[in-house]
Amino acid sequence: MTSLPQLPLPSPRSGQRGAAAVEYLIVLSLLVLVLLVSPDAIPLLMAKLREAYTSFVYALSLSWM
């Protein structure tokens, strides 16, 4: 009886090769889509981030009291 030749097992990372590039492509294309639909999205996002950061800093300042 002859035995079948053993094939090398694929490394666990071989299935993940290129996954980060696909994720970046998806995020970048969504960002471009948002900018095409609403050109004032960046200033609005900056205002919301500034508001959230101000609230965060205020909450931190209360924890030191």
Side-chain angles (χ1 to χ4, degrees):
M1 179 153 87
T2 61
S3 64
L4 294 174
Q6 289 194 354
L7 298 174
L9 293 174
S11 68
R13 296 181 133 199
S14 67
Q16 296 179 0
R17 189 168 296 165
V22 172
E23 290 173 6
Y24 285 127
L25 180 65
I26 291 171
V27 170
L28 184 63
S29 55
L30 286 176
L31 180 63
V32 168
L33 181 66
V34 165
L35 288 175
L36 289 175
V37 171
S38 175
D40 61 339
I42 297 295
L44 181 62
L45 176 64
M46 294 300 293
K48 291 297 181 181
L49 285 173
R50 191 174 296 119
E51 181 183 325
Y53 181 73
T54 303
S55 300
F56 172 71
V57 170
Y58 178 73
L60 279 179
S61 70
L62 288 180
S63 68
W64 289 102
M65 293 183 177

